[in-house]
Amino acid sequence: MTVAWVEVDDGVRLRTWQSGPAGVAGAGRPPVVLVHGGPGLPDYLEPVSALIDDLTRVYRYDQRGTGGSGWSGRHTVARHVRDLENLMDAWGHDRMILVGHSYGTDLVSFFALAHPERVAGVVYLCGPFVGPWREPTRVAERARRSPAQQDRLDHLDSLASRCDDEEVEYLALSWFTDHADQDNAWTWALASVRAMRPINWVMNAQLNADKRVDPLEHAIDRLRAVLPAGSAIIGGAGDPRPAALLRSLGAELGCAVTIIPGAGHHPWLERPGEFRAALRSAVGQQVHPVD
């Protein structure tokens, strides 16, 4: 695996990683870029990269303002789309397969709408969620917390600022409900907290606000028209976000949909074998290796 910093057109340097065979694009195998979620988190998709980097070249990056990447100016969807375009130019690829997770599926969608000619394929992981998904998600999350845990989360959320220990507790209480396997959920949540802090809350607020200006659900017809054939959605049946909405979105977009039983919002943790098979199938159909 190679780590490199790429300077984009406004001078911000983004931390990137590359793994897998080099030179595959010229041999008819488009490379993959993994687009992590958040907004406001650094990249965490190395375990996903390891599942497919024997198929083609795989790239990852920290979005600006997270992890090892710099931050300049206000965060907008258009700026983050431009960052990905700059990265593709720097990597030397006209077209790539975009694999997004969670909020990353929104960013992938906005990129495809802006630059369809540069998209060789799309794989959505646990998203995008459009329509009335937030309230049923909150209900499912509350059902996984005890009353004491919910009260504590509400208290921490109400604070104007949180100390370090309070921030760790707040994030763990927020994230452990993402996992269907509640026996291991707290351990996984704490591991994520340790790996991803600090959260860029300014970025989170600005991008979520910007997404509401021109919401993705208003562009589903346009998105269907630009998505390449073979695009796919993979989700978890145990994700608190409604899997039924992914199925209905897949029907609208003409995407194959795979919902993995017993998996939550990070299916590579809970159902690694099933997730690996689904991801490799979805990516493999779009890589089209030369015989």
Side-chain angles (χ1 to χ4, degrees):
M1 181 173 61
T2 303
V3 184
W5 276 259
V6 175
E7 185 172 313
V8 295
D9 58 7
D10 66 348
V12 168
R13 296 175 76 239
L14 304 180
R15 182 170 62 176
T16 75
W17 296 264
Q18 303 179 28
S19 61
V24 296
R29 286 187 283 167
V32 165
V33 55
L34 300 181
V35 182
H36 65 80
L41 305 178
D43 174 78
Y44 49 82
L45 294 175
E46 183 177 2
V48 177
S49 174
L51 300 176
I52 55 172
D53 64 7
D54 63 318
L55 300 176
T56 189
R57 194 72 166 164
V58 178
Y59 297 81
R60 297 179 289 118
Y61 68 103
D62 284 336
Q63 293 162 24
R64 65 170 54 214
T66 71
S69 291
W71 178 22
S72 176
R74 184 173 183 82
H75 288 278
T76 66
V77 170
R79 177 63 260 179
H80 282 256
V81 166
R82 180 67 174 160
D83 285 347
L84 182 51
E85 181 187 22
N86 282 184
L87 288 173
M88 291 173 66
D89 291 342
W91 293 329
H93 301 301
D94 293 330
R95 300 172 73 241
M96 298 183 75
I97 298 168
L98 311 183
V99 179
H101 174 251
S102 194
Y103 157 74
T105 62
D106 292 56
L107 185 50
V108 162
S109 298
F110 287 119
F111 185 91
L113 288 166
H115 302 288
E117 75 286 352
R118 305 205 66 172
V119 181
V122 168
V123 181
Y124 291 130
L125 307 178
C126 304
F129 286 92
V130 297
W133 66 274
R134 294 188 182 276
E135 186 54 33
T137 299
R138 291 190 189 99
V139 170
E141 289 171 341
R142 284 176 173 269
R144 292 179 181 179
R145 297 187 191 106
S146 70
Q149 287 174 325
Q150 187 62 53
D151 288 346
R152 181 61 175 165
L153 177 63
D154 292 341
H155 169 70
L156 293 170
D157 190 48
S158 71
L159 299 178
S161 62
R162 291 182 288 269
C163 70
D164 192 67
D165 288 345
E166 288 172 335
E167 181 75 352
V168 169
E169 185 182 7
Y170 174 76
L171 292 171
L173 285 167
S174 300
W175 291 351
F176 86 92
T177 57
D178 278 347
H179 303 290
D181 178 358
Q182 290 293 285
D183 290 337
N184 293 297
W186 193 259
T187 299
W188 284 330
L190 283 176
S192 294
V193 171
R194 295 187 189 101
M196 296 184 196
R197 292 183 62 242
I199 310 302
N200 189 331
W201 291 111
V202 172
M203 173 183 176
N204 180 277
Q206 290 179 349
L207 282 176
N208 280 326
D210 196 42
K211 284 197 304 172
R212 290 192 289 271
V213 173
D214 187 15
L216 187 59
E217 46 259 53
H218 293 174
I220 298 303
D221 288 344
R222 288 191 291 125
L223 187 59
R224 180 177 61 246
V226 300
L227 282 183
S231 296
I233 297 173
I234 301 171
D239 193 332
R241 300 153 189 81
L245 291 182
L246 292 184
R247 292 189 178 96
S248 62
L249 179 64
E252 288 186 81
L253 294 178
C255 292
V257 179
T258 301
I259 303 297
I260 301 173
H265 198 58
H266 298 80
W268 56 91
L269 291 176
E270 293 172 302
R271 291 291 184 269
E274 294 93 325
F275 176 76
R276 179 181 185 275
L279 179 64
R280 288 179 65 84
S281 175
V283 171
Q285 290 181 43
Q286 299 178 68
V287 165
H288 298 306
V290 173
D291 293 334

